[in-house]
Amino acid sequence: MSPTPSIVSVLLAATVLQIGCGGGRARDVAGERRPGSRGATTGASDAGAAVPSVPPPPRAIAQPEARGAKTRVLVHAGARAVAVDADNLYYGDTEQDAVFAVPKAGGEPRRLARRAPVAGTFALDQDELAWVATPGDVVLRVNVKTEASSTLHDKGIFSDVAADRGEFFITEVFGAGGAILRATKGTTTKIATLDASPRALVVSGDQLFVTTPQKLLRATRTRGDVETIATGTGFDSPQAAGDFVYVVATEPDGTGRRIARIPKAGGTLTPLVRDVRDAPMEVAGDEILYFAAGRPQLRAMALAGGSSRIVAEDEAFSYAAALASDASTVYVATGAGEDGVILAVPRK
């Protein structure tokens, strides 16, 4: 029996509707994308539907590259004093409370003696290394070859030690003043009394130069009078070269730190570098090495003055605690405790 025309009409309408609504289903499953159309796929089933957009890949933001030489980690240690000779770097590890030597080319550290130094108090003369041991009540020394150690002086409060030609010079603090001591051949002698607390000293020939908070003092290696050759604020890190002494000092208006030069004979204090970080500096050959205040940079400037140059830039320099250098490399102790490292930085 044949279906009635009305039933046939209904079936035909349903078939047309199915074809019109569901056509192209196989192409939609395939997920085919049209070139140049973001988030759109071919197929009638997506017609008129809201298609989620695909965000573009994030733009790469260029970061400024560090300028200057590339730094390398020589050793992991929280150090506040370093010294260098032809083969080794010497440092005090505050965590292990000891003094170590490590080859400049890298290698295993070798412990030389117990008691780490206070900040910046290493003095190396030939094979003898001396330092003010933490917390500042004794001055020790060790032979870096034989590892034989001994006490230079104790039972006091000491701020610094320097060494030259087999003699050691020590600054002692007591009350509002202090003294300069000379230790040689097992005997310690007081060679000068100071009217202010000494911070640091440097030996140059037959003369000693001592910084106090507001003065740069000059004395001799033997007994003699102490003379004030410059006044200012915040004197520290004295270095001697040629006819001058170089110090870090506070700007007269108290806004920052600077490096200044003073004639050894006394005279006018001449500012050389401004915006200096409150950190150690060193005269190395014909250059001054220092840390900039505004950026984590190790910089160098000729002793004669002029423009400075960037030696290296590293975020670790923001926490620099000590530095030492030879003709080719600067060694920077930075950080503290487990985060402490000593970096080796090419000078040129």
Side-chain angles (χ1 to χ4, degrees), residues 25 43 64 102 106 143 167 214 219-220 232 305 313:
R25 179 66 62 184
V102 63
N143 185 290
E167 293 185 322
Q214 297 180 324
T220 63
E313 183 173 323

Side-chain angles (χ1 to χ4, degrees), residues 66 71 79 275-280 290-299 312-323 332-336 339-341 343 345:
T71 64
D275 296 323
V276 173
R277 189 177 296 275
D278 192 10
Y290 68 95
F291 298 96
R295 299 195 64 178
Q297 293 176 347
L298 173 65
R299 301 185 72 96
E313 183 173 323
D314 193 307
E315 285 298 330
F317 293 156
S318 298
Y319 310 99
L323 82 161
V332 179
T334 179
D339 297 326
V341 295
L343 302 175
V345 187

Side-chain angles (χ1 to χ4, degrees), residues 9-267:
S9 300
V10 171
L11 292 175
L12 288 174
T15 303
V16 170
L17 180 62
Q18 181 180 10
I19 294 172
C21 296
R25 179 66 62 184
R27 290 189 66 187
D28 290 337
V29 173
E32 186 178 286
R33 292 186 179 272
R34 295 175 184 168
S37 62
R38 191 173 62 205
T41 58
T42 62
S45 65
D46 293 330
V51 180
S53 62
V54 178
R59 292 175 55 190
I61 299 175
Q63 299 292 334
E65 293 186 1
R67 291 179 285 176
K70 185 177 180 180
T71 64
R72 67 177 174 91
V73 175
L74 178 63
V75 65
H76 289 268
R80 294 183 294 175
V82 291
V84 66
D85 63 13
D87 300 313
N88 297 301
L89 176 81
Y90 304 97
Y91 65 94
D93 191 316
T94 57
E95 287 291 297
Q96 300 191 46
D97 193 26
V99 172
F100 291 83
V102 63
K104 292 193 295 186
E108 189 69 23
R110 172 172 57 97
R111 194 178 80 172
L112 298 176
R114 298 191 60 83
R115 303 288 299 272
V118 300
T121 61
F122 263 162
L124 182 63
D125 181 40
Q126 299 179 21
D127 293 336
E128 295 290 324
L129 179 66
W131 68 99
V132 179
T134 303
D137 58 347
V138 61
V139 184
L140 305 175
R141 70 174 176 183
V142 65
N143 185 290
V144 299
K145 298 291 179 62
T146 67
E147 301 183 17
S149 61
S150 62
T151 298
L152 275 176
H153 200 61
D154 59 2
K155 299 178 181 178
I157 300 299
F158 310 104
S159 61
D160 203 4
V161 58
D164 181 61
R165 291 178 281 171
E167 293 185 322
F168 298 90
F169 300 91
I170 304 164
T171 47
E172 182 176 8
V173 179
F174 49 81
I180 304 174
L181 312 176
R182 184 181 71 240
T184 180
K185 298 179 180 179
T187 302
T188 301
T189 305
K190 183 169 71 173
I191 60 175
T193 300
L194 308 175
D195 62 0
S197 297
R199 284 186 170 181
L201 82 160
V202 62
V203 185
S204 180
D206 293 330
Q207 296 178 317
L208 307 176
F209 297 92
V210 180
T211 58
T212 73
Q214 297 180 324
K215 296 179 181 179
L216 176 63
L217 308 175
R218 182 181 63 208
T220 63
R221 296 174 72 115
T222 58
R223 293 182 182 275
D225 295 333
V226 176
E227 301 176 77
T228 300
I229 63 171
T231 58
T233 306
F235 285 148
D236 211 348
S237 297
Q239 302 279 302
D243 296 327
F244 298 95
V245 180
Y246 301 82
V247 296
V248 178
T250 302
E251 293 279 11
D253 61 3
T255 58
R257 302 281 279 168
R258 63 180 178 174
I259 295 174
R261 181 179 69 193
I262 304 106
K264 288 180 178 177

